[in-house]
Amino acid sequence: MFTPKLLETLKGYTRIQFVRDLLAGLIVGIVALPLAIAFAIASGVSPEKGLYTAVIAGFIISAFGGSKVQIGGPTGAFIIIVYGIVQQHGVSGLIIATFMAGVILIIMGIARLGSVIKFIPHPLIVGFTSGIALVIFSSQIKDFFGLEITSLPSDFIKKWIVYGQKISSINYYSLAIAVFTTLVVFLWPRVTHRVPGSLVAIILSTLIATFFHLPIDTIGSRFGRIPTSLPLPSLPNLDFDTIKLLIQPAFTIALLGGIESLLSAVVADGIVGFPKLRLCNFTKFSSN
């Protein structure tokens, strides 16, 4: 039976737990802010789209999800899929495909297809995840080195050809900030685990870039003013032809979301028996 974990967690909830959760939520929120913006830009949409998704989807996942130790939010595995859908069908097509994927996930959860994950070969998951990491890595080279490139091809090989052609346009200030941020994220855990290295990197890199007035792009200079409020909800135009066109991307989103959620649920909850996974764990869109 679908039972949100929140209802169970609130029973016997103490003040000490609230203080700890508040601190954890504050840290995660600060870290998730630039992460959501970065995922939105990498997916081919404007930064505020990532913020809307992080706020709304994160709240829904936490309120109705089946785990109390997972954080709902954007996931890197969807960058490539979302980018392809946006390029072909636009943002409205992405919204329709996402709704369709949600319906598919609910149907799969009711049919108890979560146990099917135990038949997926582990090397396949490792290879799939490594491939996505490589594609995401290649898509960030332009901004990491501050290369002056107007548009990038979606093909992996063609991307690197363009990088080679534009390598002389490196912005060494951007490169220095990027390297510094990376080093802080990786080395900070040696100092303490209480404060995430990503949070420290965000604060230090922002202060350095602002104080020294470094000639590098910022979110404001590249994309303009970010809206300070959520947009009014609206439904995209939907017809049978659109559904037929987006059924394949919707299945891709649903399968990847289901697999990622189940795998992360197994790790986070310490569940050994895959068939015992709850419906609410399977219908979670994605968690990282």
Side-chain angles (χ1 to χ4, degrees), residues 13 15 36 81-82 168 186 205 208:
Y13 196 65
R15 182 179 178 182
I81 296 174
V82 171
S168 59
F186 278 100
S205 296
I208 291 173

Side-chain angles (χ1 to χ4, degrees), residues 3-286:
T3 306
K5 198 69 175 180
L6 180 63
L7 298 180
E8 179 183 330
T9 304
L10 289 177
K11 297 177 180 178
Y13 196 65
T14 64
R15 182 179 178 182
I16 296 177
Q17 288 177 306
F18 171 76
V19 173
R20 291 175 178 174
D21 288 345
L22 182 63
L23 179 60
L26 179 63
I27 294 175
V28 170
I30 295 175
V31 173
L33 179 67
L35 182 64
I37 293 176
F39 280 178
I41 295 173
S43 300
V45 297
S46 53
E48 70 270 15
K49 301 294 193 306
L51 295 178
Y52 299 155
T53 303
V55 172
I56 298 174
F59 174 80
I60 293 175
I61 291 171
S62 299
F64 300 102
S67 172
K68 65 178 180 180
V69 292
Q70 289 183 282
I71 300 168
T75 173
F78 279 91
I79 289 178
I80 307 304
I81 296 174
V82 171
Y83 182 83
I85 296 174
V86 170
Q87 295 302 309
Q88 295 183 29
H89 308 289
V91 176
S92 60
L94 174 63
I95 295 174
I96 295 173
T98 304
F99 271 107
M100 293 169 60
V103 175
I104 293 171
L105 277 172
I106 293 174
I107 295 173
M108 294 170 69
I110 294 175
R112 298 185 180 276
L113 294 180
S115 59
V116 176
I117 192 176
K118 66 183 178 182
F119 298 109
I120 299 177
H122 183 262
L124 185 151
I125 298 299
V126 174
F128 178 78
T129 307
S130 301
I132 289 176
L134 182 60
V135 173
I136 295 174
F137 168 77
S138 68
S139 67
Q140 300 304 301
I141 295 298
K142 169 182 175 292
D143 294 320
F144 193 92
F145 288 92
L147 301 178
E148 296 180 3
I149 301 175
T150 305
S151 61
L152 276 173
S154 57
D155 183 77
F156 180 84
I157 301 298
K158 291 180 180 179
K159 267 193 181 74
W160 285 95
I161 293 176
V162 174
Y163 291 151
Q165 295 171 344
K166 297 291 186 178
I167 193 65
S168 59
S169 64
I170 291 180
N171 183 329
Y172 290 98
Y173 293 102
S174 295
L175 177 60
I177 289 293
V179 171
F180 173 75
T181 302
T182 304
L183 290 176
V184 172
V185 171
F186 278 100
L187 298 179
W188 184 258
R190 298 183 180 182
V191 179
T192 179
H193 289 279
R194 292 184 176 274
V195 180
S198 53
L199 174 60
V200 177
I202 291 169
I203 296 175
L204 291 180
S205 296
T206 301
L207 289 176
I208 291 173
T210 303
F211 182 79
F212 291 101
H213 303 286
L214 300 182
I216 58 178
D217 285 342
T218 64
I219 299 298
S221 65
R222 179 177 294 187
F223 298 98
R225 180 178 175 273
I226 303 296
T228 57
S229 60
L230 294 175
L232 294 175
S234 61
L235 293 176
N237 296 326
L238 183 63
D239 52 52
F240 186 69
D241 291 335
T242 304
I243 293 176
K244 289 193 300 181
L245 192 64
L246 294 173
I247 189 66
Q248 182 178 351
F251 264 106
T252 303
I253 294 175
L255 290 176
L256 181 57
I259 292 173
E260 277 222 335
S261 291
L262 285 174
L263 290 176
S264 60
V266 171
V267 174
D269 294 336
I271 298 175
V272 178
F274 286 105
K276 297 180 180 179
L277 290 175
R278 298 182 182 181
L279 166 64
C280 44
N281 272 336
F282 192 81
T283 53
K284 290 169 65 180
F285 184 74
S286 66

